[in-house]
């Protein structure tokens, strides 16, 4: 009977789609506005949503339990063009804009948050800086093989001694003849156990402080580069996180990304964009949590009626939906500004801050709505709660986002 | 190979789950056909509500999407094109403005161009398999199609008629409920899922095939293909242009929700049970 069940399960999953579709009905006039997405974006959002619902959501819980990298799904996403959304077609990417990328990450994260971050890190943190600062030669070598889902990249900025304090990078890069020799330790590197290359930031001139940091491209595996133990995390467990240890790691001079001393600038600009990817991931997690809570509110009865009839639950659902929608619009706006090549640093920080705080808030409330059921692994609410937490920390903590926003505000009001 | 139990399982699943309009035609068929045609159907997945005047179900503001069997049909056509067995895949849909979105989904999967047969308002509400097959037949002649592939039935009205009627109007052979199809020169080998098992037939082109569940697994539209779909053309046609009268021969008398399930009655003994059944005239 298994062959009969498999195709019909596609019908069930298609039918189950209803709550997903209901949750995203937009009104308004078409065009490049926040009121309604252009048709192209709607289509690509739909294809990502279909994929996430059919291929990611059913396995997300198991991937989380097994801490397993979804290699098959990453390859399929590569074939769909999702692993390199902004990369031009000439280099093997999908050639779409950043708004499309944010939509993709949100929809995929709604199915599986770990897959969302794997896609986000590859797109924003690895391909992003190479696309922006790489030479044509570097792009061919370091971008094209990473568009298909066969290989993923990672981004090594943080160290055991500094996360938010990125300017204090203590990893060193010394020139020895026609090679760079890197030494030091990088911490909290997402994707590293599954990656085939990394963008590493190291100090080339300690006296210049943050202006003495440069960016390098290192293949993985590579002599002199080793990985620390996989961290046992609270959430996003299907994506690997570990230290990257560089000991006498030799790379050709041509592996420097951008100019010498440009590293800090590259890192900051990369993170500006990257945080929109994380905002999108947080939105996806929040939406999944809301889906779970709203569905439960319809089905669970107490005091003689579905709990969705109770004001206490209704107020929660309203606040949850509001938080998500507000953060989503901020994210879209920041992405549109970036696509229009306008300054978007403040908006990106706002988006990431709003979305990550929405994710933690919504997933917290979702557990509350589910009561005891929210606390057990039978329902996905507890996984969303665990997955959401990291979004307030990585790619710029909420505190750093506040500083970025404040700095921009003060500049606007400069006397 | 006796697979009737599997076939029945799928068939009954559709009748309880797919026919959310409780057996009444609520959406029109929006056949997508092409030169190697694809059938696309409008289908909603939202809770169906009967209209207050009981003439049908509420369709306002309801999102429409491609009928799952039609998705399978589109996929099959694109596979034929990828194998270089067919030259062009044209996706067709009948209905109001919204169906363009569905056609574009077919284009994003890989169809070459689309045709939107505009039917809206009252005509759309009463559009059924007969009118659609007439449109199909007319288009097939106009486009000089060699193969029409449709979904076996729409999951909103479960009519399972359009493919068969189209073939009859064109006087073409038909391979319905296809779970496998192979093109061999100008003949098509079709494996059909029937109640008794699997039936293999060979039909000559031009022909009509209706897709069943196990024919293939539709692909996800890739981002580059979605981008390409933007540039593909969708032609606009009216049924009158094709000489088709969309006036319906059917009149819907009323549409009702299924009766509310009544609570059961518990009985103590088998005799009581038999007694109650006799009372209700069931025995």
């Amino acid at each position: 009977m298994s062959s009969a069940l498999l195709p019909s399960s596609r019908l069930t999953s298609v039918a189950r789609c209803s709550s997903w579709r209901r949750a995203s009905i937009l009104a308004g006039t078409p065009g490049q506005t926040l009121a309604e997405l252009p048709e192209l974006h709607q289509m690509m959002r739909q294809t990502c949503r279909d994929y996430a619902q059919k291929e990611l959501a059913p396995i997300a819980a198991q991937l989380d339990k097994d801490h397993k990298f979804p290699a098959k799904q990453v390859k399929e996403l590569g074939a769909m063009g999702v692993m390199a959304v902004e990369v031009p077609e000439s280099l093997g990417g999908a050639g779409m804009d950043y708004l499309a990328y944010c939509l993709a990450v949100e929809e995929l994260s709604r199915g599986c948050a770990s897959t969302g971050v794997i896609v986000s890190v590859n797109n924003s943190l690895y391909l992003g800086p190479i696309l922006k600062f790489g030479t044509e030669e570097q792009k061919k070598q370091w971008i094209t093989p990473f568009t298909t889902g066969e290989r993923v990249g990672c981004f090594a900025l943080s160290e055991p001694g500094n996360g938010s304090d990125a300017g204090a990078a203590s990893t060193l890069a010394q020139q020895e003849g026609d090679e760079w020799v890197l030494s030091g330790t990088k911490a909290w590197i997402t994707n590293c156990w599954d990656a085939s290359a990394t963008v590493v930031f190291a100090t080339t001139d300690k006296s210049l402080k943050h202006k003495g940091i440069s960016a390098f491209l290192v293949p993985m595996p590579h002599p002199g580069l080793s990985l620390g133990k996989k961290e046992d995390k609270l959430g996003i467990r299907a994506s690997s996180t570990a230290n990257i240890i560089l000991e006498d790691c030799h790379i050709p001079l041509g592996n420097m990304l951008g100019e010498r001393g440009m590293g800090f600038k590259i890192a900051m600009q990369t993170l500006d964009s990257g945080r929109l990817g994380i905002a999108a991931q947080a939105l996806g997690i929040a939406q999944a949590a809301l889906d779970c809570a709203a569905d439960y509110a319809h089905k669970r009865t107490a005091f003689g009626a579905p709990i969705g009839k109770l004001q206490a639950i209704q107020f929660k659902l309203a606040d949850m939906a509001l938080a998500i929608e507000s953060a989503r619009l901020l994210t879209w706006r920041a992405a549109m500004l970036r696509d229009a090549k306008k300054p978007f640093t403040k908006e990106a920080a706002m988006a990431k801050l709003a979305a990550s705080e929405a994710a933690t808030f919504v997933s917290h409330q979702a557990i509350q709505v589910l009561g005891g059921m929210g606390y057990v692994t039978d329902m996905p609410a507890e996984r969303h709660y665990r997955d959401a937490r990291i979004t307030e920390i990585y790619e710029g903590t909420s505190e750093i986002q506040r500083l970025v926003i404040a700095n921009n505000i003060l500049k606007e009001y400069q006397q | 190979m006796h697979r009737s139990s599997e076939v029945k399982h799928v068939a009954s699943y559709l009748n309880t789950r797919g026919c959310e309009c409780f057996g009444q035609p609520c959406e029109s068929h929006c056949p997508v056909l092409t030169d190697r045609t694809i059938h696309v159907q409008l289908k909603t997945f939202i809770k169906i509500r009967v209209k207050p005047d009981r003439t049908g179900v509420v369709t306002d503001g309801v999102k429409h999407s491609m009928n799952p069997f039609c998705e399978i049909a589109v996929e099959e056509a694109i596979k034929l094109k990828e194998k270089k067995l067919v030259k062009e895949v044209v996706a067709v849909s009948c209905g109001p403005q919204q169906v363009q979105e569905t056609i574009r989904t077919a284009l994003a999967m890989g169809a070459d161009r689309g045709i939107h047969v505009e039917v809206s308002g009252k005509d759309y509400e009463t559009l059924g398999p007969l009118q659609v097959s007439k449109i199909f037949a007319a288009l097939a002649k106009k486009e000089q199609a060699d193969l029409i592939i449709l979904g076996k039935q729409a999951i909103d009205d479960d009519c399972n008629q359009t493919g068969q009627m189209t073939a009859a109007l064109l006087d073409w052979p038909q391979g319905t409920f296809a779970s496998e199809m192979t093109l061999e020169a100008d003949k098509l080998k079709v494996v059909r899922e029937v109640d008794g098992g699997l039936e293999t037939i060979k039909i000559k082109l031009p022909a009509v095939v209706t897709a069943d569940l196990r024919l293939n697994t539709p692909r996800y539209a890739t981002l580059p293909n979605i981008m390409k779909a933007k540039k593909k053309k969708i032609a606009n046609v009216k049924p009158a242009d094709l000489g088709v009268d969309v006036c319906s021969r059917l009149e819907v008398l009323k549409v009702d929700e299924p009766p509310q399930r009544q609570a059961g009655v518990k009985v103590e003994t088998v005799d009581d049970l038999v007694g109650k059944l006799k009372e209700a005239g069931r025995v």
Side-chain angles (χ1 to χ4, degrees):
Chain A
M1 279 297 271
S2 57
S3 64
L5 287 172
L6 195 53
S8 62
S9 71
R10 180 176 164 80
L11 283 174
T12 349
S13 64
V14 167
R16 238 193 279 137
C17 221
S18 64
S19 64
W20 287 50
R21 292 220 170 105
R22 210 183 299 143
S24 72
I25 293 171
L26 299 163
T29 53
Q32 267 283 26
T33 65
L34 290 172
E36 185 169 331
L37 293 168
E39 200 190 346
L40 198 71
H41 292 77
Q42 287 191 42
M43 285 177 67
M44 79 83 70
R45 192 185 200 193
Q46 192 59 53
T47 201
C48 290
R49 182 171 297 181
D50 291 340
Y51 186 85
Q53 204 208 10
K54 197 193 165 216
E55 310 285 345
L56 295 177
I59 61 169
Q62 199 57 45
L63 287 176
D64 172 74
K65 273 204 186 80
D66 298 338
H67 296 235
K68 184 165 172 241
F69 181 78
K72 173 169 175 276
Q73 286 70 27
V74 168
K75 281 203 193 88
E76 287 170 356
L77 289 169
M80 283 167 71
V82 171
M83 293 305 286
V85 179
E86 235 197 345
V87 172
E89 284 188 66
S90 54
L91 287 168
M96 294 185 91
D97 58 19
Y98 218 67
L99 177 61
Y101 160 68
C102 290
L103 293 167
V105 173
E106 181 186 338
E107 294 302 331
L108 294 174
S109 303
R110 194 178 179 183
C112 172
S114 303
T115 308
V117 76
I118 292 166
V119 170
S120 177
V121 165
N122 197 58
N123 270 281
S124 295
L125 299 187
Y126 174 72
L127 295 172
I130 305 174
L131 206 56
K132 195 156 181 204
F133 298 98
T135 63
E136 286 314 307
E137 212 30 68
Q138 283 175 331
K139 285 182 197 173
K140 280 202 202 85
Q141 187 189 347
W142 300 91
I143 290 186
T144 308
F146 292 78
T147 59
T148 60
E150 298 279 327
R151 293 165 195 261
V152 295
C154 61
F155 179 84
L157 175 66
S158 291
E159 296 176 356
N162 52 270
S164 297
D165 191 8
S170 65
T171 303
L172 290 173
Q174 278 158 325
Q175 191 171 350
E176 276 178 24
D178 60 351
E179 283 183 326
W180 287 107
V181 182
L182 306 174
S183 56
T185 311
K186 293 294 185 183
W188 313 118
I189 311 306
T190 305
N191 278 356
C192 73
W193 270 89
D194 309 288
S196 301
T198 177
V199 177
V200 180
F201 294 85
T203 301
T204 36
D205 300 286
K206 211 161 173 77
S207 56
L208 297 174
K209 300 232 179 105
H210 70 271
K211 291 213 174 105
I213 299 174
S214 307
F216 300 90
L217 297 163
V218 185
M220 291 163 79
H222 194 71
L225 186 152
S226 58
L227 300 173
K229 72 160 177 45
K230 253 198 237 186
E231 302 290 353
D232 185 9
K233 306 189 294 290
L234 177 66
I236 54 161
R237 303 215 282 220
S239 91
S240 56
T241 307
N243 286 2
I244 289 180
I245 302 144
L246 300 157
E247 287 170 301
D248 212 31
C249 179
H250 291 246
I251 49 170
L253 281 182
N255 282 30
M256 177 178 274
L257 182 65
E259 305 287 318
R260 187 177 176 137
M262 224 185 179
F264 189 76
K265 177 176 151 194
I266 294 176
M268 291 304 108
Q269 286 193 21
T270 304
L271 288 172
D272 262 355
S273 298
R275 58 190 50 140
L276 286 178
I278 297 306
Q281 185 206 16
L283 288 173
I285 298 170
Q287 188 65 54
L290 177 60
D291 293 342
C292 184
D295 189 60
Y296 195 77
H298 271 304
K299 296 188 173 137
R300 170 72 176 176
T301 53
F303 303 99
I307 59 173
K309 298 275 184 197
L310 301 166
Q311 280 190 341
I313 300 296
Q314 289 179 357
F315 287 169
K316 281 190 202 299
L317 293 174
D319 289 336
M320 287 156 83
L322 174 62
I324 298 175
E325 199 60 35
S326 319
R328 185 175 285 136
L329 291 175
L330 279 169
T331 308
W332 288 5
R333 180 152 178 270
M336 286 175 179
L337 285 169
R338 185 188 183 281
D339 286 332
K341 304 213 191 314
K342 298 221 164 86
F344 69 102
T345 304
K346 179 185 76 168
E347 288 78 6
M350 287 177 154
K352 200 260 186 186
L353 179 60
S356 52
E357 291 191 343
T360 48
F361 169 72
V362 172
S363 55
H364 178 113
Q365 291 302 323
I367 293 187
Q368 200 64 18
V369 169
L370 265 62
M373 280 310 286
Y375 204 64
V376 294
T377 55
D378 301 52
M379 296 291 271
E382 59 82 30
R383 191 182 78 241
H384 300 320
Y385 185 72
R386 290 186 289 106
D387 285 339
R389 196 61 192 83
I390 189 62
T391 61
E392 284 201 56
I393 297 171
Y394 62 10
E395 285 194 48
T397 59
S398 297
E399 290 69 35
I400 291 293
Q401 304 303 341
R402 289 187 160 88
L403 291 179
V404 170
I405 298 168
N407 281 332
N408 275 279
I409 299 287
L410 288 168
K411 253 191 243 153
E412 285 168 26
Y413 284 86
Q414 195 85 55
Q415 298 295 328
Chain B
M1 179 181 24
H2 191 73
R3 289 174 63 173
S4 65
S5 59
E6 290 181 0
V7 174
K8 282 203 182 97
H9 169 86
V10 172
S12 64
Y13 173 86
L14 287 171
N15 286 332
T16 53
R17 193 76 187 89
C19 201
E20 288 177 326
C21 48
F22 314 118
Q24 300 296 324
C26 67
E27 309 292 340
S28 307
H29 287 259
C30 292
V32 171
L33 48 95
T34 79
D35 195 353
R36 315 323 183 170
T37 3
I38 320 305
H39 180 140
V40 162
Q41 180 74 29
L42 291 195
K43 167 66 187 146
T44 68
F45 292 100
I46 304 189
K47 185 162 169 64
I48 301 296
R49 280 192 301 272
V50 176
K51 282 202 269 203
D53 61 3
R54 292 160 91 207
T55 55
V57 296
V58 177
T59 56
D60 276 339
V62 157
K63 189 161 192 331
H64 294 64
S65 61
M66 200 187 293
N67 184 42
F69 293 113
C70 302
E71 256 184 315
I72 296 172
V74 176
E75 174 65 25
E76 196 62 24
I78 295 166
K79 277 165 92 164
L80 287 173
K81 183 168 156 223
E82 284 174 345
K83 289 191 199 142
K84 298 211 194 328
L85 294 170
V86 307
K87 263 208 322 267
E88 196 191 22
V89 173
V90 181
V92 170
S93 190
C94 305
Q97 197 56 28
Q98 301 112 287
V99 315
Q100 295 222 3
E101 217 182 290
T102 313
I103 300 177
R104 240 174 254 291
T105 308
L107 295 176
M109 283 171 74
D112 296 296
R113 60 185 167 92
I115 300 177
H116 171 203
V117 182
E118 237 187 283
V119 182
S120 41
K122 204 80 189 86
D123 284 339
Y124 177 58
E125 279 175 36
T126 56
L127 193 67
L130 183 57
Q131 299 99 306
V132 165
S133 345
K134 287 180 182 170
I135 294 172
F136 250 145
L139 265 175
K141 288 201 190 111
K142 183 160 171 255
E143 294 281 333
Q144 297 188 304
D146 298 294
L147 177 59
I148 300 179
I149 313 180
L150 310 85
K152 70 171 179 181
Q153 66 199 60
I155 65 175
D156 53 19
D157 58 20
D158 280 327
C159 286
N160 189 347
Q161 294 169 0
T162 309
Q164 292 87 334
M165 283 178 175
T166 310
L169 288 168
L170 287 166
D171 198 23
W172 287 6
Q174 55 183 263
T176 54
F177 310 107
S179 65
E180 211 183 298
M181 60 180 257
T182 330
L183 199 53
E184 293 166 0
D186 69 333
K187 288 210 181 63
L188 201 55
K189 187 173 89 168
V190 180
V191 178
R192 309 178 55 228
E193 290 196 4
V194 297
D195 280 349
L198 296 175
E199 183 193 44
T200 308
I201 60 171
K202 249 199 189 134
I203 53 178
K204 263 208 271 197
L205 291 180
V208 174
V209 171
T210 72
D212 209 325
L213 203 50
R214 276 162 280 264
L215 184 58
N216 60 49
T217 308
R219 66 194 59 196
Y220 295 100
T222 65
L223 270 48
N225 278 343
I226 291 174
M227 292 281 280
K228 286 193 194 116
K230 220 174 33 165
K231 303 188 194 106
K232 293 179 184 172
K233 287 201 170 35
I234 300 180
N236 273 313
V237 169
K238 290 204 169 52
D241 300 338
L242 300 167
V244 173
D245 169 22
V246 290
C247 180
S248 177
R249 274 40 166 189
L250 301 173
E251 187 195 331
V252 173
L253 296 177
K254 67 174 163 80
V255 176
D256 276 326
E257 288 198 14
Q260 289 286 359
R261 203 178 156 164
Q262 300 294 334
V265 175
K266 275 207 184 121
V267 292
E268 297 294 309
T269 69
V270 173
D271 288 330
D272 281 347
L273 175 62
V274 175
K276 285 248 184 260
L277 286 172
K278 280 196 173 142
E279 260 174 50
R282 305 284 195 182
V283 166

